[in-house]
Amino acid sequence: MPSSPEPSPRVGVLAPPNDPDADVYAAALERAGAEVVRLWFRAVPERLALTVDLDDVRLGDRSLGGLRGLLVRKLYFSFPPAHLADVEERNGRTLRARFVAARERASLVRTALLELERRGTTVVNPPDRVLRHTEKLDQAMQLHRAGLPVPPSLGTSDPGAVRAFFAAHQDAGVIYKPLSGGGQAALLTPADLDEVRLAQLQNAPVLFQRRIPGPEWRVYVVNGHVVAAAELDTTDVIDARDNLASATPVAVDETTGQLCTKAVAHLGLLYAACDVRQSPDGPVLLEVNPAPAIRFYPAPVQDAVTAALTRLLLGGAA
Amino acid sequence: MIWDDPAPPLPTAPDGFFCRSLDVDAQRRDQAATFIAPAFVHGRPARRLWPVFQHAPHVPHLSLAPALRPEVAAAIARDLAQAAFAPHHHAAYRIDVCRRPAPGSVLGRFFTWLASAGAVTWIQALFGAPPSLRGLVPRQVQISRMVTGQGFAPHVDTLDDGVTVVFQFTRGYAAAHGGALAFVPAGTVPVIAVPPVFNTAFVFRPAGVRHTVTDVAADAPGPRYTITAFFLRPDPSNLDDK
Ligand SMILES: Nc1ncnc2c1ncn2[C@@H]1O[C@H](COP(=O)(O)OP(=O)(O)O)[C@@H](O)[C@H]1O
Ligand SMILES: [Mg+2]
């Protein structure tokens, strides 16, 4: 009798249905013979049931228990909610009812993901570490405490502190960006130091950093190894993403490579992309992304990253 | 020193954030306004459009004209004329499609925007964000071209609920030149026929709606160009949907 073929390993990709980066990751997994299960919790609980008990995690009528790996590309759920829609566009007559429901959903989804990890699924990256990404200043502080070079940074709602920081870093310039990410970085100008403008800090604090000059590298680290990197030209732009078309593969030198692998290990990530500025004084870490986009970077970078990531998710050596 | 003053006076700070980008809604409005005609981004009576759409005869629908900023529509038309088209992979669909518009081009940027959450926000805001349009996602954007002899047999695009927007970039067609988007609930006699008028957009509810495109005539002044965006509510029963 012919032996029955090995069933293909199942790997989950957690992302919105229209996430083009998830498509890139999923295609690589499928090429490697994995059965890809696209997951997204947005429909929970109105149109899709999520169930966790001592034996299994089920989404709809489907068990997630046997997933070999799970790639967390986007985590919709957190508490407090990271998306206004998660409160606004939900059932519940009052804002309060919807707010409480959001907390309940986040609790169950987080438990489901943590439980999958305990049951042996390689979760890349663990949800708590993905969620920590919204604490950008804290990440810089952690890296700084670990002796790694980060830009001089200031998180504040105090106009006086901003003026002092601006004066201290006038030679290089000061960048500001949201503390929790998700916005464009901008250059602080003398016009921003106007009293009325700075008073807006009383509505929400902001992250300020010394501007680090030089080309920007996007360094991908999988399972402790640098697997690929791209260089972005930063001439005439503040936020390097305005120059994504300039991305070209770059060979990573030892200093930069070690900096990135150390940072990623320190943050406890299995997969990450480091944004690094190559300043005249050496590489400086702008941030480490725990659920990075990939599609903007050249094909050789995509291929090297998805190949290593696929091996990690399927449980082989990187 | 008292750290948690029980009744701190509220500072009289001006509205707004220091980081403008935190205001996702404003950011998305700005993004939409780079393509869409101002009246359909900042227009005030949005809520009034919803009943017009909903109660339109035969199929919920609405036309926007002019749909895009004139300079944007002109640039997209130029890009379309130079874009790489290939026959639709489904041979029964007698149209050509452009899968990957040049990234830096206006066409490319419009394509990317239509496939983004920002475009969903725009279409929801256009109608004053009625509850029935909650939870839509950009499902598909198709750039298509029809040349003489091509057309599109009656078909149904989707059973999912949501909204389809057809942006038109065809110039100089008269009725006899064909290329009309025709709604045919049964047989071939249309209940609505939308002519291919440059820089208009036809918005309709696609769930189960049978429609066709009439054949482009031999003497048509050029190809028929459309960009169609589907904003649908994902069917949760299909976990593997990509
Ligand atoms: N301190 C800085 N010096 C120079 N450029 C910066 C600095 N901080 C941010 N940028 C630019 O802005 C971009 C976005 O900032 P980043 O910290 O990576 O946040 P995010 O990608 O989460 O929005 C960076 O890729 C970089 O090009
Ligand atoms: Mg970044």
Side-chain angles (χ1 to χ4, degrees):
Chain A
M1 243 179 61
S3 62
S4 60
E6 282 275 298
S8 9
R10 292 168 74 210
V11 176
V13 173
L14 181 61
N18 58 325
D19 182 55
D21 290 289
D23 292 344
V24 175
Y25 291 124
L29 284 160
E30 273 166 357
R31 279 198 300 277
E35 179 199 344
V36 175
V37 182
R38 293 285 288 259
L39 303 172
W40 188 231
F41 295 121
R42 176 64 180 81
V44 174
E46 291 96 332
R47 283 168 286 119
L48 189 61
L50 176 64
T51 305
V52 180
D53 61 21
L54 295 185
D55 302 317
D56 201 6
V57 175
R58 285 188 302 281
L59 188 60
D61 53 9
R62 206 165 175 158
S63 165
L64 301 183
L67 289 181
R68 179 83 63 90
L70 176 66
L71 178 67
V72 178
R73 163 65 192 136
K74 284 209 176 131
L75 255 187
Y76 190 79
F77 284 85
S78 60
F79 196 83
H83 301 268
L84 185 57
D86 194 28
V87 175
E88 268 189 342
E89 298 176 4
R90 291 292 191 167
N91 291 339
R93 260 185 304 119
T94 61
L95 185 61
R96 186 191 169 83
R98 296 200 293 267
F99 185 78
V100 171
R103 184 164 63 205
E104 293 298 296
R105 277 195 304 276
S107 177
L108 188 61
V109 169
R110 183 164 168 274
T111 300
L113 293 172
L114 292 170
E115 179 58 13
L116 285 180
E117 200 182 7
R118 282 187 289 264
R119 293 174 54 103
T121 300
T122 306
V123 179
V124 179
N125 283 296
D128 288 22
R129 281 167 230 164
V130 175
L131 288 175
R132 284 295 300 277
H133 190 50
T134 57
E135 286 148 22
K136 282 186 176 285
L137 177 58
D138 193 63
Q139 187 192 72
M141 296 302 196
Q142 286 183 63
L143 298 174
H144 174 65
R145 296 278 167 247
L148 305 176
V150 296
S153 302
L154 167 77
T156 188
S157 59
D158 174 9
V162 177
R163 287 202 184 94
F165 193 79
F166 185 74
H169 297 283
Q170 218 161 12
D171 56 319
V174 170
I175 293 283
Y176 66 92
K177 52 192 178 185
L179 283 150
S180 58
Q184 283 260 324
L187 191 65
L188 192 69
T189 66
D192 288 319
L193 302 180
D194 165 74
E195 201 177 318
V196 176
R197 169 99 172 107
L198 283 179
Q200 291 184 327
L201 292 172
Q202 290 172 344
N203 296 336
V206 171
L207 173 55
F208 299 88
Q209 284 185 334
R210 180 182 172 88
R211 183 181 187 186
I212 309 298
E216 186 158 318
W217 285 14
R218 174 91 168 177
V219 182
Y220 285 90
V221 176
V222 180
N223 211 8
H225 302 278
V226 170
V227 294
E231 178 170 317
L232 298 174
D233 178 11
T234 56
T235 321
D236 300 330
V237 296
I238 303 296
D239 194 312
R241 286 168 299 192
D242 288 337
N243 229 349
L244 278 172
S246 73
T248 36
V250 64
V252 177
D253 60 275
E254 195 160 324
T255 312
T256 307
Q258 279 184 6
L259 170 60
C260 294
T261 49
K262 270 190 204 162
V264 171
H266 189 71
L267 299 171
L269 300 169
L270 295 166
Y271 169 45
C274 304
D275 292 334
V276 179
R277 283 274 168 142
Q278 295 293 355
S279 82
D281 303 328
V284 177
L285 271 166
L286 295 185
E287 68 157 347
V288 178
N289 297 282
I294 183 83
R295 70 184 191 281
F296 307 114
Y297 299 95
V301 172
Q302 292 191 18
D303 293 346
V305 171
T306 54
L309 191 56
T310 296
R311 280 196 296 277
L312 173 65
L313 288 163
L314 290 176
Chain B
M1 187 179 181
I2 300 170
W3 290 72
D4 51 350
D5 184 345
L10 278 178
T12 50
D15 245 1
F17 292 108
F18 196 84
C19 285
R20 167 127 177 58
S21 45
L22 277 176
D23 185 350
V24 175
D25 289 339
Q27 218 185 356
R28 286 185 177 174
R29 233 170 7 248
D30 289 353
Q31 221 178 20
T34 61
F35 303 107
I36 304 289
F40 300 122
V41 179
H42 305 292
R44 299 258 311 146
R47 275 165 212 282
R48 271 181 253 149
L49 289 183
W50 181 242
V52 173
F53 173 82
Q54 256 192 323
H55 300 128
H58 307 296
V59 175
H61 71 266
L62 197 74
S63 285
L64 310 179
L68 304 183
R69 292 176 169 277
E71 71 279 13
V72 170
I76 291 177
R78 273 197 302 277
D79 292 344
L80 283 168
Q82 284 167 14
F85 282 87
H88 194 285
H89 63 271
H90 197 319
Y93 292 2
R94 292 176 300 132
I95 60 171
D96 300 331
V97 293
C98 168
R99 294 204 183 286
R100 260 172 238 286
S105 64
V106 179
L107 175 61
R109 282 166 42 215
F110 186 53
F111 179 80
T112 305
W113 174 70
L114 280 177
S116 75
V120 173
T121 307
W122 165 67
I123 197 80
Q124 289 166 332
L126 178 71
F127 290 117
S132 337
L133 291 187
R134 283 179 188 166
L136 301 185
V137 297
R139 172 71 63 80
Q140 194 196 33
V141 183
Q142 188 170 75
I143 303 175
S144 34
R145 179 181 72 182
M146 285 184 200
V147 294
T148 296
Q150 287 184 317
F152 212 153
H155 66 286
V156 171
D157 288 321
T158 180
L159 297 176
D160 287 350
D161 207 0
V163 177
T164 300
V165 188
V166 183
F167 292 93
Q168 308 235 45
F169 299 94
T170 312
R171 279 195 235 245
Y173 271 39
H177 294 134
L181 169 65
F183 290 80
V184 281
T188 55
V189 179
V191 292
I192 307 170
V194 187
V197 177
F198 185 74
N199 198 13
T200 59
F202 190 76
V203 187
F204 68 98
R205 186 178 172 189
V209 169
R210 192 166 173 269
H211 56 285
T212 175
V213 179
T214 59
D215 283 11
V216 173
D219 60 346
R224 172 190 190 269
Y225 290 110
T226 52
I227 301 177
T228 307
F230 294 88
F231 305 105
L232 304 177
R233 189 163 297 122
D235 179 351
S237 63
N238 192 357
L239 281 183
D240 301 310
D241 186 21
K242 275 177 290 180

